[in-house]
Amino acid sequence: MLLGGHCVRCNEGDWRVLQINHRNGGGRSEARKFNLSEAVALGRRSLDDLDLRCANCNILYEYEPG
């Protein structure tokens, strides 16, 4: 598992609810350009600004200040 296989906030490990989080934003624009999962798997996309979060923690991340 390239991103650890569990949510970085709550440690949830159920793959059905895990999502890739773009810490620096840009996820929507990037999704239109290419398939993120494929790009990561093929080494065409760096993991530096990505982490793995469950759906709940990912939504909360969007609303947290800062």
Side-chain angles (χ1 to χ4, degrees):
M1 295 266 162
L2 293 175
L3 293 172
H6 64 275
C7 175
V8 297
R9 186 169 183 210
C10 73
N11 210 31
E12 174 63 57
D14 187 339
W15 63 269
R16 297 172 295 177
V17 298
L18 294 176
Q19 302 174 347
I20 295 174
N21 177 52
H22 295 73
R23 291 188 304 242
N24 298 328
R28 283 183 176 78
S29 63
E30 189 173 58
R32 288 189 286 270
K33 293 179 187 175
F34 56 84
N35 181 318
L36 178 63
S37 302
E38 181 180 324
V40 168
L42 295 173
R44 297 180 185 155
R45 172 61 164 82
S46 170
L47 301 176
D48 294 344
D49 68 328
L50 303 176
D51 62 26
L52 204 56
R53 294 177 186 257
C54 71
N56 287 336
C57 291
N58 203 20
I59 287 292
L60 292 173
Y61 180 81
E62 296 294 320
Y63 292 99
E64 289 175 350

